[in-house]
Amino acid sequence: MDLLANLALGFSEALTSTNLFYCFIGCLLGTLIGVLPGLGPPATIAMLLPMTFTLEPSSSLIMLAGIYYGAQYGGSTTAILVNLPGESSSVVTALDGYQMARNGKAGLALSTAALASFAAGSIATLVIAAAAPLLAAFALEFHAPDYFALMVLGLIASVVLAQGSVLKALSMIIFGLIVGIVGTDVTTGVSRMTLGRAELIDGVSIVAVAMGIFGLGEIMQNLTHGDEGRSSYRAQLNSLLPSWQDLRQMAAPIARGTGLGTILGILPGGGALLSSFTAYAMEKKLASDPTRFGRGAIEGVAAPEAANNAGAQTSLIPLLTLGLPSNVIAALMAGAMIIQGIQPGPNVIIEQPTLFWGLIASMWIGNVMLVILNLPLIGLWVRLLTIPYKLLFPAILAFCAIGVFSLSFSTFDIWVMVVFGAFGYLFRRLDCEPAPFLLGMVLGPMMEENLRRAMLLSRGDPLVFLQRPISATLLLLALVAVVMVSLPAIRKQRDQALEE
């Protein structure tokens, strides 16, 4: 009964005209950036963060969440029709979806992706509604040492699941932690690493950093590739209605993809990307004829599309219940909550129930909106792909500059964006994932606060982290993860799995 009452509270908040409007805007923008290569949820959310500061907290989070899971829908449309994934998590969908389109089944592929996304998104939202209060109640047992250990485990897990070198991922986290603690020490009031700049007393702007890394960095990377890879083939749309046989064939892959995405989405560093690739690999291993995959197998569209949408939505569970962002999108949303004066964590459910349950209810509404939006606008999305990137990037650049300047009306923030734009490009050239850096930057101040609080309460005794069962278990898991990923045999298997 509590769940029904909470959902009723959530729908009463989500169904207000204002929140419906921002949910629609988030879904529409998410679909658009999913379609267009060169954008992506991190860059778009970073650009829109300044605008959300003038909104009510629930409206801003509803819109940002809509952008995130809306991008998973949009990315599949162009992946299927023109073999051009708008989103990284839609790369797998292109393998069989594009071949289905070439075989005259473009409509079936699109409807499969839409049905899988809708079903997975709805189920994942139900999982969030059921599991989040339980996790939040458990999190209330956490004390400062436990929170510190949890954040250490989260950062280590993001290293294990990051692509490329483990050493590079660790370096990115350390760099992020250093940038995150720039500013005034909250305990002593002493300025740290400000380089004598008064603008850095309050710390480095996470919005400026995110826009630089994911906005300018992405622009630089895309300009080096131009419009290469855009397919000249345009699929002809046929009927969008699947037959009963098609529905039976896609039902089991959707269920498996949803279950897998729901679990993997919760993991730090997981989310939509890891979920979609893993679901595709699982379907290929379970298939009686694996050679069908890559030639237009409907399972190759249904499973990854279900997985990436489930993963996108359940990746918000750690943020809402533990205050731990599991990926870069959640880190940006955490930044938005902190700037709004809301501390992410278990107290959100208790102190801000309308915000929490309104966000969850908006996910159901958003999934319905996305199904209604996507299919009629397919023709428009495909026509947008004919716009050369050289005409798109100046507008993206202008939005980034305006958004950063509007934060504090300071040109210093624009220079911060430019500097981290260069870092973002350098990260990509060196095959360093920027996500661990941003996670480190967001978690850095919280880790320091909980570390110092734990040491003060224990009067400087570091054994406090081993004396508490929760923190000791979490640190042990982090140590096991580091040791396992350091072993040559396991590291080789990890690299092969990520490559696949």
Side-chain angles (χ1 to χ4, degrees):
M1 292 301 293
D2 288 340
L3 179 60
L4 294 177
N6 290 330
L7 289 177
L9 174 65
F11 277 107
S12 68
E13 175 71 6
L15 288 173
T16 62
S17 57
T18 301
N19 287 335
L20 280 175
F21 172 74
Y22 285 110
C23 183
F24 174 79
I25 293 297
C27 292
L28 182 62
L29 288 174
T31 302
L32 177 61
I33 64 173
V35 167
L36 291 174
L39 285 172
T44 306
I45 289 177
M47 285 190 289
L48 291 176
L49 274 181
M51 189 185 80
T52 65
F53 301 157
T54 61
L55 303 177
E56 291 294 322
S58 58
S59 298
S60 64
L61 290 179
I62 284 171
M63 185 176 72
L64 295 177
I67 291 171
Y68 183 28
Y69 56 77
Q72 314 309 320
Y73 275 72
S76 64
T77 300
T78 48
I80 290 168
L81 294 179
V82 292
N83 198 27
L84 185 62
E87 255 297 287
S88 56
S89 58
S90 298
V91 170
V92 183
T93 305
L95 297 177
D96 284 278
Y98 183 61
Q99 292 303 319
M100 287 180 69
R102 294 196 71 115
N103 295 334
K105 297 180 180 179
L108 175 59
L110 289 169
S111 61
T112 300
L115 288 172
S117 299
F118 176 76
S122 300
I123 294 172
T125 305
L126 183 61
V127 170
I128 296 175
L134 299 176
L135 284 174
F138 173 68
L140 290 174
E141 303 296 324
F142 279 43
H143 293 79
D146 308 321
Y147 272 113
F148 175 78
L150 176 66
M151 293 174 189
V152 170
L153 176 61
L155 291 176
I156 294 299
S158 70
V159 170
V160 174
L161 295 174
Q163 293 183 346
S165 167
V166 174
L167 183 60
K168 288 180 181 178
L170 283 172
S171 302
M172 295 294 287
I173 284 178
I174 294 172
F175 184 30
L177 291 173
I178 293 172
V179 174
I181 61 174
V182 170
T184 303
D185 188 322
V186 294
T187 304
T188 64
V190 176
S191 297
R192 305 176 297 187
M193 297 182 287
T194 59
L195 304 177
R197 302 288 308 199
E199 296 91 343
L200 291 176
I201 289 177
D202 292 329
V204 182
S205 168
I206 186 174
V207 178
V209 171
M211 283 194 187
I213 290 179
F214 297 103
L216 297 191
E218 194 72 26
I219 287 174
M220 295 178 193
Q221 178 72 6
N222 287 324
L223 288 177
T224 60
H225 292 87
D227 288 332
E228 296 173 9
R230 295 201 177 193
S231 173
S232 59
Y233 171 77
R234 293 291 183 270
Q236 297 297 316
L237 286 178
N238 54 359
S239 173
L240 293 171
L241 295 176
S243 65
W244 283 110
Q245 182 179 355
D246 296 326
L247 290 173
R248 286 195 298 270
Q249 198 170 359
M250 70 176 76
I254 289 176
R256 287 190 289 264
T258 300
L260 192 63
T262 299
I263 296 170
L264 293 180
I266 300 174
L267 298 178
L273 182 61
L274 179 65
S275 301
S276 62
F277 277 84
T278 308
Y280 186 86
M282 180 177 69
E283 289 302 316
K284 193 172 181 180
K285 288 185 180 296
L286 292 176
S288 56
D289 182 13
T291 60
R292 292 173 50 248
F293 285 77
R295 299 180 181 179
I298 193 172
E299 301 93 330
V301 175
E305 280 301 300
N308 70 31
N309 277 272
Q313 294 188 198
T314 56
S315 65
L316 300 178
I317 290 179
L319 171 66
L320 295 173
T321 59
L322 303 174
L324 178 68
S326 60
N327 54 41
V328 66
I329 305 294
L332 289 171
M333 293 183 70
M337 294 175 72
I338 291 170
I339 293 172
Q340 292 266 15
I342 300 171
Q343 184 65 38
N347 287 327
V348 172
I349 298 180
I350 299 171
E351 299 171 1
Q352 304 274 349
T354 304
L355 168 71
F356 179 84
W357 292 104
L359 176 60
I360 290 177
S362 74
M363 293 180 183
W364 264 310
I365 299 169
N367 275 287
V368 176
M369 285 183 178
L370 284 167
V371 173
I372 298 172
L373 268 176
N374 270 264
L375 298 181
L377 295 179
I378 287 170
L380 173 62
W381 301 141
V382 175
R383 281 195 292 274
L384 282 174
L385 291 172
T386 62
I387 301 175
Y389 188 74
K390 63 183 180 182
L391 299 179
L392 286 175
F393 88 83
I396 301 171
L397 190 60
F399 276 120
C400 288
I402 293 170
V404 167
F405 184 74
S406 67
L407 289 173
S408 56
F409 300 100
S410 169
T411 55
F412 181 80
D413 285 337
I414 295 180
W415 285 112
V416 170
M417 179 184 70
V418 171
V419 168
F420 280 94
F423 273 121
Y425 178 70
L426 182 64
F427 292 160
R428 288 167 174 81
R429 298 296 294 178
L430 296 176
D431 293 327
C432 295
E433 280 198 35
F437 165 79
L438 195 65
L439 289 176
M441 182 180 174
V442 171
L443 292 177
M446 291 187 281
M447 285 184 68
E448 181 192 21
E449 179 184 351
N450 284 288
L451 173 63
R452 297 178 74 167
R453 186 182 299 167
M455 296 302 288
L456 283 172
L457 292 174
S458 66
R459 300 188 178 186
D461 183 8
L463 292 178
V464 66
F465 296 101
L466 301 179
Q467 291 167 351
R468 288 191 55 82
I470 296 177
S471 59
T473 302
L474 294 173
L475 290 175
L476 178 61
L477 290 173
L479 179 62
V480 170
V482 170
V483 171
M484 289 184 66
V485 81
S486 300
L487 297 175
I490 294 179
R491 188 168 65 245
K492 183 178 179 181
Q493 291 180 356
R494 164 189 171 273
D495 294 339
Q496 288 176 349
L498 291 174
E499 286 176 6
E500 291 177 3

